[in-house]
Amino acid sequence: QVQLVESGGGLVQAGGSLRLSCTASGSTFSAYNMVWFRQAPGKERDFVAAISWSGGRTYYADSVKGRFTISRDNAKNTVYLQMTSLKPEDTAVYFCATDQPWRSTFYTRPEEYEYWGQGTQVTVSS
């Protein structure tokens, strides 16, 4: 069982930056791939970024590639999403998620993930 808590969301102007955090508890954090999803009002939950349990591999949605960076600190049980050059279309609730430990593959569909945080709102004004 894994518990996830996101933080760091807020209101920012277009072109600005934010860093989201997701802190895990309840299991061995360093065994889990971690992912970020986002969901805008009235839209489906979309994959944003993923990082392997070791931190050695990352994967990004095309829409955020070059602007967002996912990282993790296994000593702090925390995964981060550094967001730069933010656009109004980045406005959404951002969720971190994970599933079973020691997975070798990144999955981009939300139904592949069992454990979710409560989400943190990011609003980018134009």
Side-chain angles (χ1 to χ4, degrees), residues 56-71:
R57 293 185 298 125
T58 57
Y59 181 67
Y60 297 92
D62 287 343
S63 59
V64 307
K65 201 173 295 182
R67 299 188 298 122
F68 291 11
T69 302
I70 190 171
S71 62

Side-chain angles (χ1 to χ4, degrees), residues 27 40 46 54 64 66 76 79 89 97 105 117 119 125:
S27 192
D46 291 331
S54 69
V64 307
K76 295 182 178 180
V79 60
E89 51 264 43
T105 303
S125 63

Side-chain angles (χ1 to χ4, degrees), residues 28-54:
T28 306
F29 178 72
S30 58
Y32 292 82
N33 292 346
M34 298 297 298
V35 298
W36 287 95
F37 282 82
R38 66 185 181 186
Q39 188 167 21
K43 296 189 176 182
E44 296 183 346
R45 193 167 294 191
D46 291 331
F47 170 81
V48 175
I51 188 166
S52 62
W53 47 268
S54 69

Side-chain angles (χ1 to χ4, degrees), residues 21-120:
S21 300
C22 170
T23 300
S25 61
S27 192
T28 306
F29 178 72
S30 58
Y32 292 82
N33 292 346
M34 298 297 298
V35 298
W36 287 95
F37 282 82
R38 66 185 181 186
Q39 188 167 21
K43 296 189 176 182
E44 296 183 346
R45 193 167 294 191
D46 291 331
F47 170 81
V48 175
I51 188 166
S52 62
W53 47 268
S54 69
R57 293 185 298 125
T58 57
Y59 181 67
Y60 297 92
D62 287 343
S63 59
V64 307
K65 201 173 295 182
R67 299 188 298 122
F68 291 11
T69 302
I70 190 171
S71 62
R72 66 190 297 158
D73 185 340
N74 285 346
K76 295 182 178 180
N77 287 359
T78 300
V79 60
Y80 303 99
L81 186 68
Q82 178 69 49
M83 305 184 295
T84 63
S85 302
L86 283 162
K87 306 174 182 179
E89 51 264 43
D90 294 318
T91 295
V93 178
Y94 284 71
F95 300 89
C96 62
T98 192
D99 193 64
Q100 298 304 311
W102 311 119
R103 275 191 159 182
S104 60
T105 303
F106 291 143
Y107 296 92
T108 60
R109 299 187 306 165
E111 53 265 36
E112 295 286 351
Y113 293 91
E114 180 176 0
Y115 304 110
W116 292 85
Q118 82 289 351
T120 186

